[in-house]
Amino acid sequence: MSEHTTLDATLLSLLACPQDKGPLRLVHAADGSALLYNPRLRRAYPIENGIPVLLVDEARDVTDAEHDAFSAQADA
């Protein structure tokens, strides 16, 4: 089940990757799910029921194709 998730711009600017403490990007995966993406580490954090899950153990590595797609979203 996919959901369209938006985060307030102020909240998004305050969120940081728990691993490298850098900024995160809000992106949408191919299945429509929203993720918080760290392009430096190529790691994606889930958003469950509108709540970012910023736990290192919950993040997943992204493929090269996903990285390209997520980067294109940020550039759009």
Side-chain angles (χ1 to χ4, degrees), residues 6-30:
T6 59
L7 293 177
D8 178 73
T10 302
L11 174 61
L12 186 58
S13 72
L14 296 173
L15 295 176
C17 174
Q19 194 167 357
D20 75 356
K21 311 300 186 239
L24 297 167
R25 297 177 180 171
L26 178 64
V27 297
H28 291 86

Side-chain angles (χ1 to χ4, degrees), residues 29-50:
D31 66 2
S33 64
L35 302 166
L36 288 172
Y37 181 55
N38 179 337
R40 299 166 307 283
L41 301 177
R42 293 188 177 203
R43 304 271 293 159
Y45 294 88
I47 299 174
E48 296 178 0
N49 298 319

Side-chain angles (χ1 to χ4, degrees), residues 55-69:
L55 301 171
V56 173
D57 292 342
E58 294 292 322
R60 67 172 179 83
D61 294 325
V62 303
T63 65
D64 289 340
E66 286 177 311
H67 172 73
D68 292 343

